[in-house]
Amino acid sequence: MNRKEVLQIGKNVADRWWVRNQSTILAQQNIERRKLWEQKKLTTPASN
């Protein structure tokens, strides 16, 4: 196998992995973003 074939196989494997795990990854990122937002909201003094 030459380098081009190996890279194509690797890309196919990575693409399949991403399709299967995309929703999980994006949901986890959203959860982390919300946690950071909540922490920021709690530590920011309320304006009067």
Side-chain angles (χ1 to χ4, degrees):
M1 247 190 262
N2 63 22
R3 184 175 186 272
K4 186 176 179 179
E5 291 170 335
V6 173
L7 289 174
Q8 185 62 42
I9 291 170
K11 182 186 180 310
N12 290 340
V13 170
D15 287 345
R16 268 188 252 127
W17 180 87
W18 173 250
V19 167
R20 290 186 183 132
N21 294 294
Q22 180 180 13
S23 63
T24 304
I25 293 168
L26 295 177
Q28 186 64 36
Q29 288 175 344
N30 193 32
I31 290 168
E32 292 298 322
R33 200 175 306 121
R34 285 181 183 209
K35 283 180 183 176
L36 290 173
W37 183 79
E38 284 294 326
Q39 285 177 349
K40 187 175 181 181
K41 190 171 115 176
L42 292 174
T43 58
T44 305
S47 59
N48 291 330

